[in-house]
Amino acid sequence: MRDKLAYPTVCVYDSRPFASEKALFIAGKDGYHTYRIPALAVTTRGTVLAFCEGRKHSSSDAGNIDIVLRRSHDHGLTWTEPEVIIADGDMTCGNPCPVVDASDGTIWLPFCKNLGEGHERVVTRSSDGGLTFAPPEWDTTLVEPVCQAGLVRFTHAATHGRDRILFSNPASAAKRERMTIRLSYDEGRTWPLFRILHAGPAAYSDLATAQDEKTILCLYERGISHPYETITCAAFDLKWLSGGQDAL
C-alpha cells in the first residue's frame, strides 16, 4: 500500500498594513461606554454610511442606547465626525438595518426601540443621501415582541414585472411566536400579503433567495416549548406565500 503523504499546514502571514484602516467608534469616547452592532450602506452617490449603537453607560443590550453615524465621501479614506441620528432618552434604540433604494436613492433605516410604548418596528428614512433622517415612525403592520427580523428583495420590476420585498419576524405583541413571512409590492410601505410559517414559539430569522430566483429560504429559530429548540430552514415559493394570488 502506498504510504500516505503528509502535507504540512502552511500559514502565510503578510506583515504589510491594510491599504486603509481606521477605528471609527472607540469605546469610552464621545460620551459612550461601548459601541456595538455595526451596519454599513453605500448611497447611490457613493457616500459610505457607517452606523452603530452608542451605548451610554455600559455594554448591556438594554439601557440608554442611541444610533450613531459617520459618513465617508472618499470610499472610506476619511470620515465625518460621529453624529447621533436616533436618540430617545433612556430608551434602547438599536439594531440599525439600512437599506438603499437604488431606484430613487432613499435610505430606509428600520431599527428596534425597546421599552417603548408599542410592539411594532420603527422606521426612519433619508431622502438626501444620509445627511438628515425623517422623524421615526412606528410601522403598525410589523408587530413584534422585540426581536430581530429578516428582510430581502425578491424581485425587481424591471426583470420580473413587479417589485417584491419579503420580511420575516415573530408577529406577536405578546411573546416570540408566530413566525410570519410578509410580502410588499411598494418597497416596504405596505405589506398586503402574509403567511404564518410556524404558529408556535419562534425568534430570530433571516431570508434569502435561491439561485433559481424562485425558491425563498427562511432560516429561523423555532420549537414546541420554547423558540430555541432548533434552527430550521424552510423553503417555499411565491405561490405558497401568496396563497395562489401571485406567482412567477
Side-chain angles (χ1 to χ4, degrees):
M1 181 181 293
R2 181 180 298 176
D3 292 336
K4 293 183 179 180
L5 297 177
Y7 293 94
T9 300
V10 178
C11 178
V12 178
Y13 174 71
D14 190 339
S15 61
R16 293 174 298 176
F18 291 100
S20 174
E21 186 176 49
K22 180 179 178 62
L24 299 186
F25 305 98
I26 302 173
K29 299 289 187 180
D30 299 313
Y32 291 99
H33 179 280
T34 303
Y35 294 96
R36 284 207 58 203
I37 321 301
L40 200 61
V42 179
T43 72
T44 53
R45 294 187 176 183
T47 301
V48 183
L49 305 177
F51 303 84
C52 75
E53 294 181 2
R55 302 186 174 189
K56 280 281 188 180
H57 305 303
S58 73
S59 61
S60 172
D61 291 339
N64 188 332
I65 297 177
D66 304 331
I67 296 178
V68 296
L69 168 67
R70 297 188 72 171
R71 306 177 187 85
S72 175
H73 303 289
D74 53 11
H75 313 296
L77 294 178
T78 61
W79 296 83
T80 61
E81 292 300 312
E83 178 184 342
V84 179
I85 60 168
I86 302 291
D88 190 0
D90 291 332
M91 296 293 182
T92 298
C93 300
N95 288 318
C97 299
V99 178
V100 178
D101 186 341
S103 66
D104 63 6
T106 300
I107 302 161
W108 294 90
L109 184 65
F111 64 95
C112 295
K113 184 176 178 182
N114 300 352
L115 306 179
E117 297 177 355
H119 288 277
E120 303 90 28
R121 292 213 159 240
V122 191
V123 181
T124 182
R125 64 183 181 274
S126 172
S127 300
D128 55 12
L131 292 176
T132 61
F133 284 82
E137 299 177 355
W138 292 100
D139 190 327
T140 57
T141 303
L142 305 182
V143 177
E144 69 159 35
V146 180
C147 192
Q148 179 260 15
L151 183 72
V152 70
R153 175 176 293 281
F154 185 46
T155 62
H156 285 277
T159 55
H160 292 83
R162 301 184 78 174
D163 289 314
R164 296 177 179 88
I165 291 179
L166 305 174
F167 178 86
S168 64
N169 81 325
S172 169
K175 57 184 178 180
R176 291 181 172 183
E177 62 182 3
R178 292 171 55 89
M179 180 56 62
T180 301
I181 313 296
R182 298 184 186 274
L183 173 62
S184 173
Y185 295 108
D186 55 9
E187 303 298 282
R189 293 175 178 84
T190 62
W191 304 89
L193 298 178
F194 70 91
R195 189 154 185 181
I196 297 174
L197 193 60
H198 175 60
Y204 279 40
S205 64
D206 203 4
L207 292 165
T209 302
Q211 194 173 25
D212 63 6
E213 298 184 351
K214 294 182 179 180
T215 303
I216 302 164
L217 301 170
C218 180
L219 185 68
Y220 70 107
E221 299 172 324
R222 62 166 284 175
I224 303 301
S225 300
H226 61 80
Y228 316 117
E229 296 173 19
T230 70
I231 294 180
T232 298
C233 185
F236 49 92
D237 60 15
L238 184 60
K239 185 176 181 180
W240 176 88
L241 174 59
S242 66
Q245 299 182 53
D246 195 2
L248 294 180

Short mmCIF file of all heavy atoms in Angstrom, two decimals, residues 27-54:
data_model
loop_
_atom_site.label_atom_id
_atom_site.label_comp_id
_atom_site.label_asym_id
_atom_site.label_seq_id
_atom_site.Cartn_x
_atom_site.Cartn_y
_atom_site.Cartn_z
N ALA A 27 -14.59 52.67 22.15
CA ALA A 27 -15.22 52.58 23.47
C ALA A 27 -14.66 53.64 24.41
O ALA A 27 -13.45 53.86 24.48
CB ALA A 27 -15.01 51.19 24.06
N GLY A 28 -15.57 54.31 25.12
CA GLY A 28 -15.15 55.33 26.07
C GLY A 28 -15.02 56.72 25.48
O GLY A 28 -14.79 57.69 26.22
N LYS A 29 -15.17 56.86 24.17
CA LYS A 29 -15.04 58.15 23.51
C LYS A 29 -16.40 58.76 23.19
O LYS A 29 -17.38 58.05 23.01
CB LYS A 29 -14.24 58.00 22.21
CG LYS A 29 -12.82 57.48 22.39
CD LYS A 29 -11.92 58.51 23.05
CE LYS A 29 -10.47 58.04 23.07
NZ LYS A 29 -9.56 59.02 23.71
N ASP A 30 -16.43 60.08 23.12
CA ASP A 30 -17.61 60.84 22.68
C ASP A 30 -18.86 60.54 23.51
O ASP A 30 -19.99 60.56 23.00
CB ASP A 30 -17.90 60.58 21.20
CG ASP A 30 -16.74 61.02 20.31
OD1 ASP A 30 -16.24 62.14 20.50
OD2 ASP A 30 -16.33 60.23 19.45
N GLY A 31 -18.67 60.24 24.79
CA GLY A 31 -19.80 60.09 25.68
C GLY A 31 -20.44 58.72 25.73
O GLY A 31 -21.51 58.57 26.34
N TYR A 32 -19.82 57.73 25.10
CA TYR A 32 -20.41 56.38 25.09
C TYR A 32 -19.44 55.37 25.71
O TYR A 32 -18.25 55.35 25.39
CB TYR A 32 -20.77 55.96 23.67
CG TYR A 32 -21.92 56.76 23.10
CD1 TYR A 32 -21.68 57.83 22.25
CD2 TYR A 32 -23.23 56.46 23.44
CE1 TYR A 32 -22.73 58.58 21.74
CE2 TYR A 32 -24.29 57.20 22.94
CZ TYR A 32 -24.03 58.26 22.09
OH TYR A 32 -25.08 59.01 21.60
N HIS A 33 -20.00 54.51 26.56
CA HIS A 33 -19.22 53.47 27.19
C HIS A 33 -18.75 52.43 26.17
O HIS A 33 -17.59 51.99 26.17
CB HIS A 33 -20.06 52.78 28.28
CG HIS A 33 -19.37 51.66 28.99
ND1 HIS A 33 -19.27 50.38 28.46
CD2 HIS A 33 -18.76 51.61 30.20
CE1 HIS A 33 -18.62 49.60 29.32
NE2 HIS A 33 -18.30 50.32 30.38
N THR A 34 -19.68 52.04 25.27
CA THR A 34 -19.41 50.97 24.31
C THR A 34 -20.13 51.26 23.00
O THR A 34 -21.22 51.84 23.00
CB THR A 34 -19.91 49.61 24.86
OG1 THR A 34 -19.29 49.34 26.11
CG2 THR A 34 -19.60 48.47 23.89
N TYR A 35 -19.52 50.85 21.90
CA TYR A 35 -20.17 50.87 20.59
C TYR A 35 -20.33 49.44 20.11
O TYR A 35 -19.39 48.64 20.19
CB TYR A 35 -19.34 51.65 19.57
CG TYR A 35 -19.20 53.13 19.88
CD1 TYR A 35 -18.09 53.61 20.57
CD2 TYR A 35 -20.18 54.03 19.49
CE1 TYR A 35 -17.96 54.96 20.85
CE2 TYR A 35 -20.06 55.38 19.77
CZ TYR A 35 -18.95 55.84 20.45
OH TYR A 35 -18.82 57.18 20.73
N ARG A 36 -21.52 49.12 19.58
CA ARG A 36 -21.75 47.76 19.08
C ARG A 36 -22.69 47.78 17.87
O ARG A 36 -23.24 48.80 17.51
CB ARG A 36 -22.36 46.88 20.19
CG ARG A 36 -21.36 46.42 21.26
CD ARG A 36 -21.81 45.11 21.87
NE ARG A 36 -21.96 44.08 20.86
CZ ARG A 36 -22.74 43.00 21.01
NH1 ARG A 36 -23.45 42.84 22.11
NH2 ARG A 36 -22.82 42.10 20.05
N ILE A 37 -22.89 46.62 17.29
CA ILE A 37 -23.85 46.36 16.20
C ILE A 37 -23.59 47.26 14.99
O ILE A 37 -24.39 48.15 14.66
CB ILE A 37 -25.31 46.50 16.68
CG1 ILE A 37 -25.49 45.95 18.09
CG2 ILE A 37 -26.25 45.83 15.69
CD1 ILE A 37 -25.13 44.48 18.23
N PRO A 38 -22.47 47.07 14.29
CA PRO A 38 -22.18 47.89 13.11
C PRO A 38 -23.08 47.55 11.93
O PRO A 38 -23.51 46.41 11.76
CB PRO A 38 -20.72 47.54 12.80
CG PRO A 38 -20.55 46.14 13.33
CD PRO A 38 -21.42 46.07 14.56
N ALA A 39 -23.37 48.56 11.13
CA ALA A 39 -24.14 48.37 9.89
C ALA A 39 -23.58 49.33 8.85
O ALA A 39 -23.22 50.46 9.17
CB ALA A 39 -25.62 48.63 10.13
N LEU A 40 -23.53 48.87 7.60
CA LEU A 40 -22.86 49.63 6.55
C LEU A 40 -23.78 49.74 5.34
O LEU A 40 -24.49 48.80 4.99
CB LEU A 40 -21.58 48.91 6.16
CG LEU A 40 -20.47 49.68 5.44
CD1 LEU A 40 -19.96 50.82 6.31
CD2 LEU A 40 -19.32 48.73 5.10
N ALA A 41 -23.75 50.91 4.69
CA ALA A 41 -24.52 51.11 3.46
C ALA A 41 -23.76 52.11 2.58
O ALA A 41 -23.01 52.95 3.08
CB ALA A 41 -25.92 51.63 3.76
N VAL A 42 -23.98 52.00 1.28
CA VAL A 42 -23.39 52.93 0.32
C VAL A 42 -24.53 53.56 -0.47
O VAL A 42 -25.35 52.85 -1.05
CB VAL A 42 -22.40 52.23 -0.63
CG1 VAL A 42 -21.82 53.24 -1.63
CG2 VAL A 42 -21.28 51.55 0.15
N THR A 43 -24.59 54.89 -0.49
CA THR A 43 -25.68 55.58 -1.16
C THR A 43 -25.49 55.51 -2.68
O THR A 43 -24.44 55.12 -3.18
CB THR A 43 -25.74 57.06 -0.74
OG1 THR A 43 -24.63 57.76 -1.32
CG2 THR A 43 -25.69 57.19 0.77
N THR A 44 -26.52 55.91 -3.40
CA THR A 44 -26.44 55.89 -4.87
C THR A 44 -25.43 56.89 -5.40
O THR A 44 -25.02 56.81 -6.56
CB THR A 44 -27.82 56.18 -5.47
OG1 THR A 44 -28.34 57.41 -4.92
CG2 THR A 44 -28.80 55.05 -5.18
N ARG A 45 -25.00 57.85 -4.57
CA ARG A 45 -23.97 58.80 -4.97
C ARG A 45 -22.58 58.41 -4.47
O ARG A 45 -21.62 59.16 -4.62
CB ARG A 45 -24.33 60.20 -4.46
CG ARG A 45 -25.58 60.77 -5.12
CD ARG A 45 -25.81 62.21 -4.72
NE ARG A 45 -26.96 62.79 -5.41
CZ ARG A 45 -27.35 64.05 -5.29
NH1 ARG A 45 -26.68 64.87 -4.48
NH2 ARG A 45 -28.40 64.49 -5.95
N GLY A 46 -22.49 57.24 -3.83
CA GLY A 46 -21.20 56.72 -3.42
C GLY A 46 -20.77 57.04 -2.00
O GLY A 46 -19.68 56.64 -1.57
N THR A 47 -21.59 57.75 -1.24
CA THR A 47 -21.24 58.04 0.15
C THR A 47 -21.37 56.78 0.99
O THR A 47 -22.37 56.07 0.91
CB THR A 47 -22.18 59.13 0.73
OG1 THR A 47 -22.05 60.31 -0.05
CG2 THR A 47 -21.81 59.44 2.17
N VAL A 48 -20.34 56.49 1.78
CA VAL A 48 -20.36 55.33 2.66
C VAL A 48 -20.92 55.76 4.01
O VAL A 48 -20.45 56.73 4.61
CB VAL A 48 -18.95 54.73 2.83
CG1 VAL A 48 -19.01 53.47 3.69
CG2 VAL A 48 -18.33 54.43 1.48
N LEU A 49 -21.92 55.04 4.50
CA LEU A 49 -22.55 55.33 5.78
C LEU A 49 -22.25 54.21 6.76
O LEU A 49 -22.55 53.05 6.48
CB LEU A 49 -24.07 55.47 5.61
CG LEU A 49 -24.55 56.48 4.56
CD1 LEU A 49 -26.07 56.45 4.47
CD2 LEU A 49 -24.07 57.88 4.88
N ALA A 50 -21.63 54.56 7.89
CA ALA A 50 -21.31 53.57 8.93
C ALA A 50 -22.17 53.87 10.16
O ALA A 50 -22.00 54.91 10.80
CB ALA A 50 -19.83 53.63 9.28
N PHE A 51 -23.09 52.96 10.45
CA PHE A 51 -23.99 53.09 11.60
C PHE A 51 -23.53 52.16 12.72
O PHE A 51 -22.89 51.13 12.47
CB PHE A 51 -25.42 52.69 11.23
CG PHE A 51 -26.04 53.44 10.10
CD1 PHE A 51 -25.81 53.07 8.78
CD2 PHE A 51 -26.90 54.51 10.34
CE1 PHE A 51 -26.40 53.75 7.72
CE2 PHE A 51 -27.50 55.19 9.29
CZ PHE A 51 -27.25 54.81 7.98
N CYS A 52 -23.92 52.46 13.94
CA CYS A 52 -23.77 51.51 15.04
C CYS A 52 -24.56 52.00 16.23
O CYS A 52 -25.12 53.11 16.22
CB CYS A 52 -22.30 51.29 15.41
SG CYS A 52 -21.55 52.64 16.33
N GLU A 53 -24.63 51.17 17.26
CA GLU A 53 -25.24 51.57 18.52
C GLU A 53 -24.20 52.27 19.39
O GLU A 53 -23.07 51.79 19.51
CB GLU A 53 -25.76 50.35 19.29
CG GLU A 53 -26.91 49.64 18.63
CD GLU A 53 -27.40 48.46 19.46
OE1 GLU A 53 -26.84 48.24 20.56
OE2 GLU A 53 -28.32 47.75 19.02
N GLY A 54 -24.59 53.37 20.01
CA GLY A 54 -23.77 54.01 21.03
C GLY A 54 -24.41 53.74 22.38
O GLY A 54 -25.49 54.26 22.68
#
